Amino acid sequence: MKFDFSNVFHPNIENGLTEEEINDQANRVQDIVETIKQNNPGFLSLPFTRVYIDRVLDLKTWIQSFESVVVLGIGGSALGNQALQTALNPLHYNALSKEIRKTPKIFILDNVDPDFISSVLDQIDPKTTLFNVISKSGTTAEAMANYLVARGIIEGYGLDPKKHFLFTTDPEKGILKKLAEEEGIKTLDIPPSIGGRFSVLTPVGLLSALASGIDIIDLYNGAKEMHKRVTNPNIWENPAAFNALVHYLYYQKGYNISVMMSYSNKLYLLADWYRQLWAESLGKKYNLKGEIVNVGQTPIKALGTTDQHSQVQLYNEGPYDKVITFIQLENFERNIKIPNIHCDLPELSYLGGKNLSALLNTELAGTEYALTENNRPNLKVIFPQINPFNVGQFIFAYEFQTAVMGNLLEINPYDQPGVELGKKVTYALMGRKGYEDFSIEVENKLKNKKQVTM
């Protein structure tokens, strides 16, 4: 995997960074890399921890005996699963016949929209379905609501829950751990030191990957390879630290939006995973000193060429507030040659005989050129091909980049206090025990607030 930072620098763009700006921060970034290594956050040592991957591999025969595997999770318990499935399996994977697929269909329920949930339930046979409930605390309202729906279906069919449920949760505490011990339901552990958005290479993401035939060992091998690169203290040889510094320096200049634009449909949902990682890790009210700073760079996803026709006008001529990251794929799994039809029409003849992949990457080159001509900073992450090894590299690089960026911003990239109030309000309004007083407070505020409706 390669990283191309050419178009964030002067003179390629007039207002670009200089080597001096990078070198001025080199010692600081080196210290940050060493600090991260010393603190050893949970995700950092994960590629060298076999216990989690081995536990998933132990369940392979049982998991792949089902016709369908349904993941019940949200946020970090779903986005990584979705990214792995889309990148590493055919885009129409669930539509393939069992003879071609050979492994279970994979469904990921990451919302409580009843129309969405019903549409999935209509496609499965509960008798041949495994439900993987993912919640570290066992209190995530969305995941647990969907668990109760699934549990009701399983019990309604007179089926044994321990044969149709697998809980991925905290290894020592929580309601799911308690239920599993009482009812003999199999469990997988979420490492206590790893938060949801850093958990894709734990059983959280590995279970559904293994279920659909993805080589999870090669995912780990890719992460191991990237570990060597991102723990290098030399800023000019460390793509994750370098990328973090590029984003930090531009953020200091007012570029508070980070766009990830994939020129591959299969790699598109990596941008979804990145959005949570970047937004939830870096959007913080307080710094490490307890001072109010309200920092964070807003992540946006885009798809080439689709969003050339919806977003790129803004990127080229709108505010100077975006750093664009292209994801480029050099070698596609399949290709389609455009027929030489209408050779007498200059409006069409230039396309004849060319491959769609060539057109797609030429479109990327055109967008890159236009942004650069308009002095808009852009960089590329280049996949030579899509495979578990390269996806593992990408995931680990961006996890480390996020840790570095958090240190540059002097905030804690591993917590998410801004999410908690919304959860508490949900618990109160839904009548959860212990939230009665808070429910009264919320209802009074809602009743007394100024109303402006049309």
Side-chain angles (χ1 to χ4, degrees):
M1 178 175 292
K2 294 174 287 187
F3 297 77
D4 184 349
F5 297 101
S6 305
N7 294 331
V8 301
F9 281 99
H10 179 83
N12 293 339
I13 58 174
E14 288 181 2
N15 52 348
L17 302 177
T18 64
E19 290 187 18
E20 289 74 20
E21 286 179 279
I22 299 294
N23 289 329
D24 285 346
Q25 298 281 343
N27 289 336
R28 181 185 179 194
V29 173
Q30 179 176 330
D31 291 342
I32 287 172
V33 170
E34 291 300 328
T35 298
I36 293 171
K37 288 163 65 176
Q38 290 172 14
N39 292 340
N40 196 28
F43 79 90
L44 189 61
S45 58
L46 193 58
F48 305 95
T49 309
R50 284 286 310 206
V51 61
Y52 298 112
I53 196 169
D54 287 342
R55 179 69 181 108
V56 174
L57 289 168
D58 288 343
L59 298 175
K60 181 177 180 178
T61 301
W62 179 62
I63 295 165
Q64 292 187 346
S65 69
F66 291 91
E67 173 62 26
S68 301
V69 172
V70 180
V71 175
L72 310 178
I74 197 167
S77 299
L79 292 168
N81 285 282
Q82 292 167 338
L84 292 179
Q85 293 298 323
T86 304
L88 297 170
N89 278 319
L91 290 170
H92 60 304
Y93 172 81
N94 280 352
L96 297 173
S97 68
K98 182 62 180 292
E99 291 70 32
I100 296 175
R101 223 181 337 104
K102 296 184 171 58
T103 47
K105 295 179 181 179
I106 307 295
F107 299 94
I108 300 168
L109 302 188
D110 64 341
N111 206 344
V112 288
D113 179 334
D115 289 331
F116 168 55
I117 302 302
S118 298
S119 72
V120 172
L121 295 177
D122 288 344
Q123 298 177 66
I124 64 170
D125 179 355
K127 300 185 190 70
T128 58
T129 297
L130 172 67
F131 293 94
N132 177 207
V133 186
I134 306 177
S135 175
K136 192 172 187 177
S137 65
T139 60
T140 310
E142 300 87 352
M144 300 314 293
N146 287 334
Y147 159 67
L148 293 172
V149 170
R151 181 75 183 239
I153 292 171
I154 291 299
E155 292 188 359
Y157 274 80
L159 302 171
D160 186 348
K162 68 175 176 288
K163 294 181 179 179
H164 292 272
F165 282 98
L166 171 67
F167 295 161
T168 303
T169 189
D170 188 280
E172 297 179 358
K173 59 186 179 182
I175 186 63
L176 288 178
K177 185 67 176 176
K178 180 175 182 290
L179 286 172
E181 290 174 347
E182 291 175 353
E183 301 183 359
I185 294 172
K186 293 181 176 67
T187 63
L188 289 170
D189 294 342
I190 301 176
S193 61
I194 297 180
R197 57 191 177 275
F198 290 89
S199 68
V200 61
L201 295 179
T202 75
V204 168
L206 297 179
L207 186 282
S208 70
L210 181 77
S212 64
I214 294 170
D215 186 343
I216 61 175
I217 294 176
D218 219 24
L219 274 173
Y220 262 45
N221 289 338
K224 284 182 185 178
E225 179 63 27
M226 186 54 68
H227 184 281
K228 299 175 189 175
R229 299 175 67 183
V230 303
T231 53
N232 187 332
N234 185 339
I235 184 68
W236 292 97
E237 297 174 358
N238 184 328
F242 196 94
N243 206 355
L245 181 57
V246 165
H247 279 77
Y248 173 76
L249 291 173
Y250 272 107
Y251 179 72
Q252 298 301 107
K253 298 174 188 236
Y255 288 73
N256 59 357
I257 296 173
S258 172
V259 178
M260 183 170 282
M261 188 169 189
S262 171
Y263 276 74
S264 161
N265 282 68
K266 289 176 70 65
L267 298 175
Y268 181 41
L269 292 193
L270 287 176
D272 263 347
W273 171 80
Y274 164 72
R275 284 195 306 172
Q276 186 205 10
L277 182 69
W278 205 244
E280 200 165 77
S281 298
L282 305 178
K284 298 295 164 64
K285 180 177 181 178
Y286 298 101
N287 65 13
L288 294 174
K289 298 176 183 177
E291 301 165 334
I292 296 177
V293 288
N294 296 116
V295 297
Q297 197 176 41
T298 302
I300 293 175
K301 71 172 182 177
L303 178 65
T305 62
T306 302
D307 289 317
Q308 290 176 204
H309 302 272
S310 68
Q311 298 180 30
V312 167
Q313 170 63 33
L314 174 66
Y315 300 166
N316 269 311
E317 297 189 356
Y320 287 88
D321 60 359
K322 302 169 190 68
V323 179
I324 293 96
T325 299
F326 294 114
I327 299 180
Q328 180 176 8
L329 176 59
E330 291 182 320
N331 297 292
F332 291 76
E333 293 176 11
R334 302 173 67 181
N335 222 329
I336 296 175
K337 180 172 281 191
I338 304 169
N340 276 305
I341 302 172
H342 300 305
C343 297
D344 56 329
L345 299 176
E347 297 87 351
L348 299 177
S349 60
Y350 74 99
L351 295 170
K354 310 287 177 54
N355 290 326
L356 287 182
S357 62
L359 175 59
L360 183 62
N361 278 332
T362 302
E363 297 258 18
L364 188 160
T367 305
E368 178 185 8
Y369 183 90
L371 287 168
T372 305
E373 285 291 295
N374 283 294
N375 296 306
R376 312 297 169 137
N378 62 91
L379 59 104
K380 282 189 296 193
V381 180
I382 304 166
F383 281 73
Q385 61 187 37
I386 299 176
N387 56 35
F389 185 87
N390 288 333
V391 172
Q393 286 194 89
F394 178 93
I395 288 169
F396 199 80
Y398 271 90
E399 288 180 343
F400 198 89
Q401 175 181 324
T402 301
V404 174
M405 184 67 161
N407 278 266
L408 287 167
L409 293 171
E410 299 180 349
I411 52 91
N412 180 358
Y414 306 115
D415 66 358
Q416 54 277 340
V419 179
E420 300 307 314
L421 178 58
K423 288 183 178 180
K424 286 177 61 180
V425 171
T426 299
Y427 295 153
L429 296 180
M430 290 296 289
R432 181 175 172 178
K433 187 176 180 180
Y435 288 81
E436 293 84 359
D437 291 343
F438 187 55
S439 175
I440 294 171
E441 177 186 332
V442 170
E443 289 176 352
N444 284 337
K445 285 187 176 180
L446 291 174
K447 187 187 303 179
N448 294 325
K449 76 173 184 178
K450 181 178 180 179
Q451 301 289 333
V452 181
T453 59
M454 296 184 185

